[in-house]
Amino acid sequence: NEYGKMSVNIIGQEKLMNEINTYTLSTLPHSVLLVGKKGCGKYMLVHYLSKKFNLEFKDITDIISLDLINDIYLNPIPLIYVIAIERISVKEENALLKLVEEPPKNAFIIILAENKSQVLPTIINRCQVFIYSEYNKETLKLFTLDENILNIAQTPGDITKLTEVKDLNNYLDLANKIYDRIEIYVRKDTNIKNRIEEHCLEYGYLNENGINKNKKTNRAALLVKAIETQMAIDRGELKVVKVDGE
């Protein structure tokens, strides 16, 4: 397997890749947690590990159940099983706990999370945790020189997504208005402020102590989300519900 002898680099994640490349199939942890913002390259790393160790991988996010976990224990074929933690329920996460506590020898469990706060502490304690580094603007310039995109993108995935947006400036203007309206409501309503802070903590825009790490970063992240939301509305995938005449 020539791929297994190669060292593949994910731009901006050299430290992580150096650590990953120290593993052989015999030393690769059977329970892994990859933590990084949406678009940072978590699935790219899964593909790399699959090729490096000549193992097929299966995304079981949408089909987790106790029956499936029992089938994994009985499967003699070595496989990588991938779970995006933000898309499963608490019940499914508890079922997953059994698998990471005692992973079968032919199974490599890779859990993907945007922030450690999304994951049960008991699961974190049983996984080898790898954390993606934050992307700085200089690194992101390797992917685009568009200043509008660079001002809000936090990952290469953000850049790919925003590059595909037609009339980005119009969406950006609208997203800024949405964000400004959010700030008005935050000042008026403590409950809304708390909910937004919970959202920001969940996706890594605040640290675990609830302290705003970077207001500009928070704004950029929520602008990306606002653009995604407005595009979904335009495609008819979401409906707008007016509240209090707004």
Side-chain angles (χ1 to χ4, degrees), residues 35-38 42 86 113-119 131-134 154-155 196-222:
V35 181
K37 290 179 180 177
K38 189 175 182 180
K42 295 188 289 293
E86 70 271 9
E114 294 182 22
N115 190 272
K116 284 172 70 175
S117 64
Q118 295 174 313
V119 189
I131 299 178
Y132 279 69
S133 301
E134 297 279 339
Q154 298 184 72
T155 64
I196 291 175
E197 286 186 347
E198 287 173 5
H199 172 85
C200 288
L201 176 60
E202 181 179 1
Y203 290 98
Y205 311 141
L206 299 177
N207 66 23
E208 284 76 3
N209 296 320
I211 299 172
N212 188 326
K213 293 191 293 187
N214 186 320
K215 185 174 182 180
K216 183 178 179 181
T217 299
N218 292 356
R219 185 182 184 94
L222 290 178

Side-chain angles (χ1 to χ4, degrees), residues 6-207:
M6 294 170 60
S7 176
V8 171
N9 181 42
I10 297 178
I11 294 174
Q13 302 300 331
E14 290 77 13
K15 181 179 177 181
L16 171 64
M17 292 308 298
N18 286 340
E19 186 175 1
I20 289 291
N21 283 318
T22 63
Y23 290 99
T24 64
L25 183 59
S26 62
T27 61
L28 183 68
H30 283 264
S31 297
V32 169
L33 174 61
L34 294 182
V35 181
K37 290 179 180 177
K38 189 175 182 180
C40 68
K42 295 188 289 293
Y43 274 102
M44 186 184 298
L45 182 52
V46 171
H47 279 273
Y48 170 59
L49 291 173
S50 172
K51 291 181 180 294
K52 177 180 174 66
F53 296 119
N54 197 25
L55 295 171
E56 291 187 17
F57 74 89
K58 183 176 183 180
D59 191 326
I60 61 171
T61 302
D62 297 326
I63 55 174
I64 292 178
S65 67
L66 288 175
D67 287 341
L68 174 67
I69 289 172
N70 288 334
D71 289 343
I72 291 173
Y73 275 98
L74 296 174
N75 185 7
I77 302 172
L79 282 175
I80 295 173
Y81 297 93
V82 182
I83 304 99
I85 201 76
E86 70 271 9
R87 287 166 41 202
I88 69 174
S89 66
V90 174
K91 179 180 179 181
E92 290 166 338
E93 197 169 354
N94 283 320
L96 178 62
L97 180 58
K98 174 186 177 184
L99 195 58
V100 297
E101 280 182 328
E102 298 179 12
K105 64 179 182 179
N106 287 325
F108 296 89
I109 315 303
I110 300 182
I111 300 170
L112 312 180
E114 294 182 22
N115 190 272
K116 284 172 70 175
S117 64
Q118 295 174 313
V119 189
L120 289 173
T122 45
I123 288 181
I124 295 174
N125 291 339
R126 288 163 176 78
C127 291
Q128 176 66 50
V129 181
F130 298 101
I131 299 178
Y132 279 69
S133 301
E134 297 279 339
Y135 285 90
N136 58 44
K137 190 170 182 177
E138 291 305 309
T139 300
L140 293 177
K141 281 182 178 179
L142 298 173
F143 299 90
T144 185
L145 294 177
D146 187 317
E147 280 297 324
N148 283 336
I149 292 177
L150 287 170
N151 284 336
I152 61 175
Q154 298 184 72
T155 64
D158 283 348
I159 291 175
T160 300
K161 191 182 304 175
L162 293 169
T163 301
E164 295 171 353
V165 177
K166 295 180 180 179
D167 302 320
L168 176 61
N169 286 338
N170 291 336
Y171 277 113
L172 191 55
D173 288 342
L174 183 57
N176 271 298
K177 290 176 182 177
I178 292 172
Y179 185 90
D180 290 340
R181 181 58 61 89
I182 288 172
E183 285 198 321
I184 291 171
Y185 280 117
V186 165
R187 289 194 292 269
K188 289 181 178 179
D189 191 326
T190 303
N191 290 330
I192 292 177
K193 180 177 185 295
N194 290 339
R195 290 202 298 273
I196 291 175
E197 286 186 347
E198 287 173 5
H199 172 85
C200 288
L201 176 60
E202 181 179 1
Y203 290 98
Y205 311 141
L206 299 177
N207 66 23

